Amino acid sequence: MKCYETVWEIFNQCPNNQMRDVFIDEIEIDDIEVFLKNKFRGKEVSWEKTVQQDGTVVYDITASGIRQRYSFSELSAMETTGRNA
């Protein structure tokens, strides 16, 4: 399994409000797309995947009409060991 720091952004639907909900977490998973399919199970979902130069995998998601973004940055063994100490 790989360990990722995730940033989940839910964009506000109000046109005059630029704020968004942001959730940061650390997860261990084998497959990002399986994780996303389970996360949004039961919703009408589409996404576009982008891999940034630093290796961060970004999914721009529309789930049941709500625009969201999920970013996955893989953590090294040293980063995860230091946090669990």
Side-chain angles (χ1 to χ4, degrees), residues 14-78:
C14 298
N16 293 325
N17 188 340
Q18 298 301 313
M19 298 300 292
R20 64 185 88 167
D21 293 326
V22 179
F23 304 93
I24 300 171
D25 202 1
E26 203 172 287
I27 61 172
E28 287 188 35
I29 54 174
D30 287 320
D31 187 313
I32 293 173
E33 292 195 6
V34 169
F35 168 81
L36 290 173
K37 287 176 185 175
N38 288 332
K39 176 87 175 169
F40 296 103
R41 179 175 288 150
K43 299 187 183 332
E44 186 177 321
V45 179
S46 64
W47 63 56
E48 289 185 30
K49 175 183 174 182
T50 306
V51 179
Q52 298 179 340
Q53 285 184 331
D54 67 355
T56 300
V57 181
V58 179
Y59 287 83
D60 286 299
I61 301 165
T62 302
S64 297
I66 298 173
R67 188 172 155 245
Q68 305 178 46
R69 179 174 293 136
Y70 237 116
S71 302
F72 297 82
S73 299
E74 188 173 352
L75 298 173
S76 69
M78 181 174 279

